[in-house]
PDB file of all heavy atoms in Angstrom:
ATOM      1  N   PRO A  37       2.100  16.084   6.413  1.00  0.00           N
ATOM      2  CA  PRO A  37       0.741  16.487   5.776  1.00  0.00           C
ATOM      3  C   PRO A  37       0.198  17.705   6.411  1.00  0.00           C
ATOM      4  O   PRO A  37       0.482  17.993   7.510  1.00  0.00           O
ATOM      5  CB  PRO A  37      -0.168  15.274   6.113  1.00  0.00           C
ATOM      6  CG  PRO A  37       0.702  14.120   6.601  1.00  0.00           C
ATOM      7  CD  PRO A  37       1.946  14.757   7.054  1.00  0.00           C
ATOM      8  N   PRO A  38      -0.581  18.480   5.596  1.00  0.00           N
ATOM      9  CA  PRO A  38      -1.140  19.683   6.163  1.00  0.00           C
ATOM     10  C   PRO A  38      -2.071  19.242   7.346  1.00  0.00           C
ATOM     11  O   PRO A  38      -2.809  18.343   7.218  1.00  0.00           O
ATOM     12  CB  PRO A  38      -1.999  20.238   4.984  1.00  0.00           C
ATOM     13  CG  PRO A  38      -2.086  19.189   3.938  1.00  0.00           C
ATOM     14  CD  PRO A  38      -0.917  18.290   4.173  1.00  0.00           C
ATOM     15  N   PRO A  39      -1.968  19.970   8.491  1.00  0.00           N
ATOM     16  CA  PRO A  39      -2.885  19.752   9.562  1.00  0.00           C
ATOM     17  C   PRO A  39      -4.340  19.881   9.042  1.00  0.00           C
ATOM     18  O   PRO A  39      -4.561  20.583   8.001  1.00  0.00           O
ATOM     19  CB  PRO A  39      -2.608  20.831  10.536  1.00  0.00           C
ATOM     20  CG  PRO A  39      -1.219  21.326  10.205  1.00  0.00           C
ATOM     21  CD  PRO A  39      -1.102  21.118   8.736  1.00  0.00           C
ATOM     22  N   ARG A  40      -5.268  19.176   9.748  1.00  0.00           N
ATOM     23  CA  ARG A  40      -6.629  19.146   9.177  1.00  0.00           C
ATOM     24  C   ARG A  40      -7.240  20.588   8.993  1.00  0.00           C
ATOM     25  O   ARG A  40      -7.886  20.824   7.944  1.00  0.00           O
ATOM     26  CB  ARG A  40      -7.459  18.333  10.207  1.00  0.00           C
ATOM     27  CG  ARG A  40      -8.835  18.098   9.762  1.00  0.00           C
ATOM     28  CD  ARG A  40      -8.985  17.037   8.695  1.00  0.00           C
ATOM     29  NE  ARG A  40     -10.333  16.851   8.192  1.00  0.00           N
ATOM     30  CZ  ARG A  40     -10.655  16.123   7.107  1.00  0.00           C
ATOM     31  NH1 ARG A  40      -9.741  15.580   6.395  1.00  0.00           N
ATOM     32  NH2 ARG A  40     -11.907  16.004   6.855  1.00  0.00           N
ATOM     33  N   ASP A  41      -7.062  21.436   9.999  1.00  0.00           N
ATOM     34  CA  ASP A  41      -7.685  22.710   9.808  1.00  0.00           C
ATOM     35  C   ASP A  41      -7.081  23.544   8.624  1.00  0.00           C
ATOM     36  O   ASP A  41      -7.794  24.199   7.927  1.00  0.00           O
ATOM     37  CB  ASP A  41      -7.614  23.569  11.139  1.00  0.00           C
ATOM     38  CG  ASP A  41      -6.148  23.706  11.611  1.00  0.00           C
ATOM     39  OD1 ASP A  41      -5.259  22.974  11.151  1.00  0.00           O
ATOM     40  OD2 ASP A  41      -5.946  24.512  12.530  1.00  0.00           O
ATOM     41  N   GLU A  42      -5.739  23.265   8.438  1.00  0.00           N
ATOM     42  CA  GLU A  42      -5.114  23.936   7.297  1.00  0.00           C
ATOM     43  C   GLU A  42      -5.672  23.391   5.926  1.00  0.00           C
ATOM     44  O   GLU A  42      -5.866  24.184   4.969  1.00  0.00           O
ATOM     45  CB  GLU A  42      -3.597  23.665   7.436  1.00  0.00           C
ATOM     46  CG  GLU A  42      -2.737  24.430   6.512  1.00  0.00           C
ATOM     47  CD  GLU A  42      -2.545  25.872   6.721  1.00  0.00           C
ATOM     48  OE1 GLU A  42      -2.726  26.304   7.982  1.00  0.00           O
ATOM     49  OE2 GLU A  42      -2.410  26.596   5.780  1.00  0.00           O
ATOM     50  N   LEU A  43      -5.786  22.070   5.961  1.00  0.00           N
ATOM     51  CA  LEU A  43      -6.328  21.467   4.757  1.00  0.00           C
ATOM     52  C   LEU A  43      -7.767  21.997   4.415  1.00  0.00           C
ATOM     53  O   LEU A  43      -7.986  22.367   3.225  1.00  0.00           O
ATOM     54  CB  LEU A  43      -6.371  19.895   4.958  1.00  0.00           C
ATOM     55  CG  LEU A  43      -6.751  19.000   3.865  1.00  0.00           C
ATOM     56  CD1 LEU A  43      -5.817  19.170   2.630  1.00  0.00           C
ATOM     57  CD2 LEU A  43      -6.741  17.506   4.252  1.00  0.00           C
ATOM     58  N   LEU A  44      -8.587  22.051   5.463  1.00  0.00           N
ATOM     59  CA  LEU A  44      -9.976  22.494   5.242  1.00  0.00           C
ATOM     60  C   LEU A  44      -9.942  23.974   4.766  1.00  0.00           C
ATOM     61  O   LEU A  44     -10.741  24.324   3.929  1.00  0.00           O
ATOM     62  CB  LEU A  44     -10.769  22.326   6.581  1.00  0.00           C
ATOM     63  CG  LEU A  44     -10.966  20.915   7.045  1.00  0.00           C
ATOM     64  CD1 LEU A  44     -11.784  20.963   8.323  1.00  0.00           C
ATOM     65  CD2 LEU A  44     -11.617  20.047   6.010  1.00  0.00           C
ATOM     66  N   ARG A  45      -9.035  24.762   5.288  1.00  0.00           N
ATOM     67  CA  ARG A  45      -8.972  26.163   4.937  1.00  0.00           C
ATOM     68  C   ARG A  45      -8.536  26.322   3.461  1.00  0.00           C
ATOM     69  O   ARG A  45      -9.115  26.958   2.650  1.00  0.00           O
ATOM     70  CB  ARG A  45      -8.048  26.886   5.930  1.00  0.00           C
ATOM     71  CG  ARG A  45      -8.232  28.388   5.968  1.00  0.00           C
ATOM     72  CD  ARG A  45      -7.294  28.957   7.025  1.00  0.00           C
ATOM     73  NE  ARG A  45      -5.842  28.603   6.777  1.00  0.00           N
ATOM     74  CZ  ARG A  45      -5.157  29.327   5.868  1.00  0.00           C
ATOM     75  NH1 ARG A  45      -5.698  30.133   5.003  1.00  0.00           N
ATOM     76  NH2 ARG A  45      -3.882  29.042   5.676  1.00  0.00           N
ATOM     77  N   ASP A  59      -4.089  12.053   3.466  1.00  0.00           N
ATOM     78  CA  ASP A  59      -5.189  13.050   3.631  1.00  0.00           C
ATOM     79  C   ASP A  59      -6.509  12.309   3.632  1.00  0.00           C
ATOM     80  O   ASP A  59      -6.801  11.594   2.759  1.00  0.00           O
ATOM     81  CB  ASP A  59      -5.168  14.076   2.478  1.00  0.00           C
ATOM     82  CG  ASP A  59      -3.839  14.714   2.286  1.00  0.00           C
ATOM     83  OD1 ASP A  59      -3.260  15.249   3.279  1.00  0.00           O
ATOM     84  OD2 ASP A  59      -3.340  14.720   1.134  1.00  0.00           O
ATOM     85  N   ARG A  60      -7.358  12.649   4.665  1.00  0.00           N
ATOM     86  CA  ARG A  60      -8.646  12.096   4.626  1.00  0.00           C
ATOM     87  C   ARG A  60      -9.601  12.898   3.813  1.00  0.00           C
ATOM     88  O   ARG A  60      -9.736  14.190   4.113  1.00  0.00           O
ATOM     89  CB  ARG A  60      -9.164  11.923   6.105  1.00  0.00           C
ATOM     90  CG  ARG A  60     -10.471  11.202   6.312  1.00  0.00           C
ATOM     91  CD  ARG A  60     -10.611  10.741   7.781  1.00  0.00           C
ATOM     92  NE  ARG A  60     -10.125  11.725   8.707  1.00  0.00           N
ATOM     93  CZ  ARG A  60     -10.782  12.706   9.207  1.00  0.00           C
ATOM     94  NH1 ARG A  60     -11.991  13.007   8.783  1.00  0.00           N
ATOM     95  NH2 ARG A  60     -10.263  13.555  10.078  1.00  0.00           N
ATOM     96  N   VAL A  61     -10.229  12.360   2.831  1.00  0.00           N
ATOM     97  CA  VAL A  61     -11.168  13.158   1.955  1.00  0.00           C
ATOM     98  C   VAL A  61     -12.530  12.602   2.288  1.00  0.00           C
ATOM     99  O   VAL A  61     -12.960  11.494   1.899  1.00  0.00           O
ATOM    100  CB  VAL A  61     -10.825  12.912   0.473  1.00  0.00           C
ATOM    101  CG1 VAL A  61     -11.845  13.698  -0.403  1.00  0.00           C
ATOM    102  CG2 VAL A  61      -9.446  13.402   0.172  1.00  0.00           C
ATOM    103  N   ASP A  62     -13.340  13.420   2.968  1.00  0.00           N
ATOM    104  CA  ASP A  62     -14.629  13.013   3.448  1.00  0.00           C
ATOM    105  C   ASP A  62     -15.640  14.116   3.298  1.00  0.00           C
ATOM    106  O   ASP A  62     -15.345  15.115   2.702  1.00  0.00           O
ATOM    107  CB  ASP A  62     -14.549  12.470   4.908  1.00  0.00           C
ATOM    108  CG  ASP A  62     -14.001  13.590   5.831  1.00  0.00           C
ATOM    109  OD1 ASP A  62     -13.808  14.774   5.374  1.00  0.00           O
ATOM    110  OD2 ASP A  62     -13.760  13.345   7.052  1.00  0.00           O
ATOM    111  N   ASP A  63     -16.814  13.856   3.839  1.00  0.00           N
ATOM    112  CA  ASP A  63     -17.908  14.898   3.736  1.00  0.00           C
ATOM    113  C   ASP A  63     -17.403  16.331   4.172  1.00  0.00           C
ATOM    114  O   ASP A  63     -17.654  17.214   3.520  1.00  0.00           O
ATOM    115  CB  ASP A  63     -19.144  14.458   4.523  1.00  0.00           C
ATOM    116  CG  ASP A  63     -20.051  13.582   3.680  1.00  0.00           C
ATOM    117  OD1 ASP A  63     -20.364  13.911   2.542  1.00  0.00           O
ATOM    118  OD2 ASP A  63     -20.516  12.580   4.231  1.00  0.00           O
ATOM    119  N   GLU A  64     -16.748  16.262   5.410  1.00  0.00           N
ATOM    120  CA  GLU A  64     -16.271  17.492   5.918  1.00  0.00           C
ATOM    121  C   GLU A  64     -15.384  18.297   4.927  1.00  0.00           C
ATOM    122  O   GLU A  64     -15.553  19.496   4.720  1.00  0.00           O
ATOM    123  CB  GLU A  64     -15.554  17.247   7.215  1.00  0.00           C
ATOM    124  CG  GLU A  64     -15.116  18.539   7.938  1.00  0.00           C
ATOM    125  CD  GLU A  64     -14.208  18.184   9.184  1.00  0.00           C
ATOM    126  OE1 GLU A  64     -13.386  17.281   9.097  1.00  0.00           O
ATOM    127  OE2 GLU A  64     -14.261  18.956  10.146  1.00  0.00           O
ATOM    128  N   LEU A  65     -14.522  17.555   4.386  1.00  0.00           N
ATOM    129  CA  LEU A  65     -13.527  18.197   3.480  1.00  0.00           C
ATOM    130  C   LEU A  65     -14.194  18.717   2.222  1.00  0.00           C
ATOM    131  O   LEU A  65     -13.927  19.735   1.677  1.00  0.00           O
ATOM    132  CB  LEU A  65     -12.389  17.198   3.166  1.00  0.00           C
ATOM    133  CG  LEU A  65     -11.325  17.869   2.227  1.00  0.00           C
ATOM    134  CD1 LEU A  65      -9.918  17.639   2.764  1.00  0.00           C
ATOM    135  CD2 LEU A  65     -11.379  17.389   0.860  1.00  0.00           C
ATOM    136  N   LEU A  66     -15.106  17.839   1.661  1.00  0.00           N
ATOM    137  CA  LEU A  66     -15.733  18.155   0.430  1.00  0.00           C
ATOM    138  C   LEU A  66     -16.694  19.353   0.612  1.00  0.00           C
ATOM    139  O   LEU A  66     -16.808  20.262  -0.254  1.00  0.00           O
ATOM    140  CB  LEU A  66     -16.565  16.985  -0.138  1.00  0.00           C
ATOM    141  CG  LEU A  66     -15.637  15.751  -0.507  1.00  0.00           C
ATOM    142  CD1 LEU A  66     -16.477  14.574  -0.867  1.00  0.00           C
ATOM    143  CD2 LEU A  66     -14.743  16.081  -1.693  1.00  0.00           C
TER     144      LEU A  66
END
Side-chain angles (χ1 to χ4, degrees):
R40 186 71 182 172
D41 55 347
E42 188 70 30
L43 184 60
L44 296 179
R45 198 176 61 72
D59 305 310
R60 187 162 37 85
V61 178
D62 56 7
D63 273 315
E64 181 188 39
L65 182 133
L66 297 170

